[in-house]
Amino acid sequence: NAHGVIVASSASTVSGNVISGNTTYGVYLTGGSTGNTVAGNYIGTNKDGQGLLNGTVAWYRGEGTGGDFLGAHNGTLLGSPSFGPGRVGQGFDFDGIDDTVRVPMTPALELAAGDFTIEAWVNFTAGTGTYRQIVRAYGGTPVFLLEIGPDDRPAMFVRNAQAVEVRGPAALSDGQWHHVAGTRSGAVYT
């Protein structure tokens, strides 16, 4: 398909779609359309998690294992994580105490000074009043954390030449799936 979804009118809602494998745009707004909502779509992969975005280095799907779906950076399950329904397929079910997937640092995972995005889908209902780490990289440069803070808001912390922290605007402890991502593009962190 050239375009995944074309919106040519105003005040439209585009949600719950699989938008992937398009030769140009996933969502294309045209004709002066305004007031549109685009949310809750799978963009970049299909419902089975195929069709990864270019540049993907590792992908931990939680399909009964701590392995990297791409095969190069397998993790080890620590604690006693289980697996339950994920956003797509199975996901990790951590107890919030000591469950984790430990992945050895390799040159391919080293964030260094380049651009990067680290992302995850999270679903939880009750805050613990403590930090809950989603991704942590202390073994290289920069130090990197993608986490849920004591206030249940997502946060990203990066320390390279300077320390940067970015916090999400809202608590996510509503029992719904939320996409969280930490991105560095040049000197901009989001």
Side-chain angles (χ1 to χ4, degrees):
N1 296 334
H3 306 302
V5 175
I6 299 174
V7 179
S9 62
S10 297
S12 298
T13 299
V14 178
S15 65
N17 298 287
V18 175
I19 303 170
S20 184
N22 304 293
T23 58
T24 55
Y25 303 104
V27 177
Y28 183 62
L29 302 173
T30 184
S33 57
T34 61
N36 294 293
T37 301
V38 178
N41 300 285
Y42 292 99
I43 299 177
T45 64
N46 67 21
K47 67 178 179 56
D48 298 317
Q50 304 301 313
L52 293 175
L53 301 173
N54 288 337
T56 300
V57 176
W59 185 18
Y60 302 93
R61 295 174 19 166
E63 296 289 338
T65 177
D68 172 12
F69 182 68
L70 302 179
H73 309 286
N74 290 325
T76 301
L77 298 175
L78 301 175
S80 56
S82 58
F83 302 91
R87 181 70 168 105
V88 176
Q90 282 190 323
F92 297 106
D93 190 353
F94 297 122
D95 64 10
I97 300 168
D98 62 354
D99 291 353
T100 188
V101 178
R102 180 169 292 161
V103 178
M105 182 58 76
T106 67
L109 296 175
E110 182 73 42
L111 301 175
D115 296 347
F116 64 81
T117 298
I118 296 178
E119 58 189 321
W121 284 94
V122 298
N123 180 345
F124 60 99
T125 56
T128 62
T130 61
Y131 288 95
R132 285 146 294 159
Q133 297 175 354
I134 301 167
V135 176
R136 176 181 82 176
Y138 278 142
T141 302
V143 168
F144 179 86
L145 288 169
L146 182 62
E147 62 191 359
I148 302 297
D151 58 1
D152 294 341
R153 295 185 316 162
M156 175 180 74
F157 173 80
V158 178
R159 185 178 68 230
N160 200 356
Q162 63 180 358
V164 176
E165 183 175 18
V166 178
R167 302 202 48 79
L172 304 180
S173 55
D174 60 2
Q176 302 296 312
W177 285 101
H178 297 276
H179 182 251
V180 295
T183 299
R184 177 176 64 198
S185 179
V188 177
Y189 295 81
T190 57

